[in-house]
Amino acid sequence: MLSWVGLVARLVTGGVWIAAGVLKLPEPSSSVRAVRAYQILPEAVVPTVGYLLPLVEVVVGVCLVLGVLVRFNAAVSAVLFLVFILGIASVWARGIEIDCGCFGGGGAKEGATAEYPWEIARDAGLMLLSLWLVWRPRSPYAADNLLFPEPERSTDVETEPIH
């Protein structure tokens, strides 16, 4: 039963990453604008992060959906969600109102603070699913099952006859 939880966690988390990344790919300047809006990173690295983030999101998402290197990709996923939670909490604490840029867009947005609790809760839930996969990376229909098969457990145990 627990392995099926892993399958759902892989598909949900991976699907969210794919959607987030694919929606940003057509307009990379929006992703750069979203990263800049958080006012956390030095300007010299903002474009690099903005351009690479959608690609990383798609790769992590595809790997999770296919079940490739699940523990590693789930760890990357959990770290990214933690960074996003801290970023949203940071702008909230500083009174900055921005579109999180999670699924495209980004930049200043009036009234955005009302969305921050939901965004943090969503990312926290997805981070927990990712951490589940770090803890229990094996699940049905994962490529890892073919790439890294579990050793067969021996059932040949000598026992003494009962008299």
Side-chain angles (χ1 to χ4, degrees):
M1 178 65 179
L2 293 179
S3 65
W4 292 99
V5 173
L7 175 63
V8 170
R10 274 186 25 238
L11 296 178
V12 168
T13 307
V16 168
W17 283 126
I18 292 168
V22 166
L23 289 170
K24 293 174 195 163
L25 285 175
E27 198 175 334
S29 61
S30 290
S31 183
V32 173
R33 184 175 59 247
V35 171
R36 184 174 289 120
Y38 282 88
Q39 302 173 29
I40 295 173
L41 297 176
E43 183 55 34
V45 299
V46 166
T48 303
V49 172
Y51 288 123
L52 287 179
L53 187 59
L55 297 172
V56 170
E57 291 172 339
V58 170
V59 169
V60 168
V62 168
C63 286
L64 287 173
V65 167
L66 296 177
V68 176
L69 300 173
V70 172
R71 180 171 276 142
F72 172 79
N73 284 293
V76 171
S77 174
V79 168
L80 286 172
F81 282 123
L82 178 61
V83 167
F84 295 159
I85 290 166
L86 293 173
I88 295 166
S90 170
V91 293
W92 193 6
R94 292 180 289 147
I96 300 171
E97 293 191 324
I98 62 169
D99 177 333
C100 74
C102 304
F103 297 93
K109 180 180 176 187
E110 192 174 323
T113 54
E115 297 172 15
Y116 294 160
W118 154 246
E119 291 167 351
I120 289 171
R122 176 198 61 216
D123 288 353
L126 291 165
M127 184 177 71
L128 289 174
L129 289 176
S130 298
L131 291 171
W132 174 272
L133 292 169
V134 170
W135 179 51
R136 296 185 62 95
R138 292 276 178 188
S139 60
Y141 308 111
D144 280 356
N145 297 337
L146 298 172
L147 298 170
F148 312 105
E150 286 188 283
E152 292 186 33
R153 292 187 173 95
S154 177
T155 57
D156 298 335
V157 178
E158 280 195 37
T159 57
E160 292 188 31
I162 301 175
H163 295 118

